[in-house]
Amino acid sequence: MDYFSDRSNPFYDRTCNNEVVKMQRLGLEQLNNMSGLEYILLHVQEPILYVVRKQHRHSSTQVTPLADYYIIAGIVYQAPDLCSVINSRLLNTTHYLQSAFEEALSFSRYHPSKGYWWEFKEKQQDTKNKKKEKKKDEQGSIFQIQRVDALLEDLSKRFPPKSIQPPPPPPPEKPIDQENKSSEEKVDVKLEKEEDETPTQSAAQRRPAPTDGIKPPPDKKPKLLR
C-alpha cells in the first residue's frame, strides 16, 4: 500500500481515508470506523501479483466497490470493468465471424452449366505456405525473462546446491619402461657375479684336499728346448 500511495501513481486519490490515517499515524484498522473513499489490499500472490480495490465505505459493514487495480512487476494497471470486458469480447467475436464468412465466400465457385461448387486445394496450399513463412522462433518478453530470473534466484536461496568435494588425486605412478629397465639391470648384474664366481669354485673343486702330513707332489714345469 505504501508503494501504491506514491505520488507518481495517477490512480491514487489524495483525499482518501488512507491518506488521513497516514497523516495521523494511525493503524489501518481505523478505516473500518470511517466513511468515505478508501483503498484496500484485495489479493496477494508474491512476488508477482498484487490487487488493490478502490471502494466507498458507508459504514463498518457496507461498502461499494468502485475500481480494481493490479500491480505486476512494479507497474500499476487499472482493471477493466465488466461492461468493457463484455464489449471487447463481443467485438472480437463479430470480427472473427465476419472474417470466416469472407474466407468461405472466397472458396465458392459458380458456372452456368455446373452451378455452385467449392474449391479448396489452391487456397489450402497458399495458407500452408504462409503459415510456414510466419513461423519463427519467438523469444519471451522482458517481463517473462525477469520473472523467471527472480524465481530461479529465490529457489536457489531456498535450496542451495550441495558442495561436492573433489576426490584426492592418485599418487604418481612410475612408468613401466623404467621399472623394466631397472629389473633387467639387476638381473644382468647378478648373472655377471655368478659367472665370475663359477670358475674359481670349479678350480678349487678340481684340486684334491691336502691330507695331514703328506704334501702333494710338486707340479712339473715344462722344459725349454734350446
Side-chain angles (χ1 to χ4, degrees):
M1 293 302 296
D2 293 336
Y3 179 77
F4 185 81
S5 62
D6 191 78
R7 292 183 178 180
S8 61
N9 184 10
F11 304 114
Y12 184 72
D13 192 355
R14 297 289 173 187
T15 62
C16 63
N17 294 336
N18 298 71
E19 195 69 19
V20 176
V21 170
K22 187 177 179 181
M23 293 295 292
Q24 295 180 2
R25 296 183 180 179
L26 300 174
L28 295 176
E29 298 83 6
Q30 298 296 326
L31 292 173
N32 297 328
N33 302 325
M34 302 173 67
S35 61
L37 187 65
E38 66 181 16
Y39 295 91
I40 62 169
L41 186 62
L42 186 64
H43 179 72
V44 178
Q45 185 180 348
E46 293 182 355
I48 297 174
L49 180 63
Y50 300 90
V51 180
V52 179
R53 172 168 287 181
K54 179 182 180 181
Q55 61 186 11
H56 186 83
R57 181 174 292 278
H58 303 284
S59 64
S60 60
T61 58
Q62 185 179 4
V63 293
T64 302
L66 301 175
D68 290 335
Y69 306 94
Y70 58 94
I71 304 170
I72 294 179
I75 301 174
V76 182
Y77 302 92
Q78 183 177 4
D81 54 357
L82 183 60
C83 181
S84 60
V85 171
I86 293 174
N87 287 332
S88 175
R89 296 293 186 270
L90 288 174
L91 286 173
N92 288 335
T93 304
T94 54
H95 170 70
Y96 288 121
L97 284 173
Q98 185 67 27
S99 61
F101 284 128
E102 290 177 357
E103 188 173 359
L105 184 62
S106 64
F107 294 142
S108 65
R109 298 290 183 269
Y110 173 75
H111 193 271
S113 61
K114 295 180 180 181
Y116 290 97
W117 76 93
W118 300 98
E119 192 173 73
F120 297 102
K121 294 182 180 179
E122 296 179 358
K123 290 288 183 179
Q124 286 179 353
Q125 291 178 358
D126 294 339
T127 52
K128 286 181 181 179
N129 294 330
K130 288 181 181 179
K131 286 181 180 179
K132 288 181 180 179
E133 292 176 358
K134 287 181 180 179
K135 284 183 180 179
K136 292 181 180 179
D137 295 332
E138 296 181 358
Q139 296 181 354
S141 61
I142 298 174
F143 168 71
Q144 291 174 346
I145 295 171
Q146 291 177 352
R147 286 295 93 198
V148 169
D149 293 341
L151 291 173
L152 290 175
E153 185 178 359
D154 187 18
L155 289 174
S156 63
K157 288 180 180 178
R158 291 184 183 180
F159 308 101
K162 296 181 181 179
S163 60
I164 300 173
Q165 296 182 356
E173 297 180 356
K174 292 182 179 181
I176 300 172
D177 297 337
Q178 292 183 359
E179 291 181 356
N180 293 334
K181 286 181 181 179
S182 60
S183 61
E184 289 176 359
E185 289 177 357
K186 289 180 182 178
V187 172
D188 294 339
V189 171
K190 287 182 180 179
L191 291 173
E192 289 177 358
K193 288 182 179 180
E194 290 176 357
E195 289 176 356
D196 294 338
E197 290 176 357
T198 49
T200 57
Q201 290 177 358
S202 61
Q205 289 175 358
R206 288 175 185 174
R207 290 180 182 179
T211 58
D212 295 337
I214 300 173
K215 293 182 180 180
D219 295 335
K220 293 182 180 182
K221 294 180 181 181
K223 293 181 180 181
L224 299 174
L225 299 175
R226 294 181 179 179

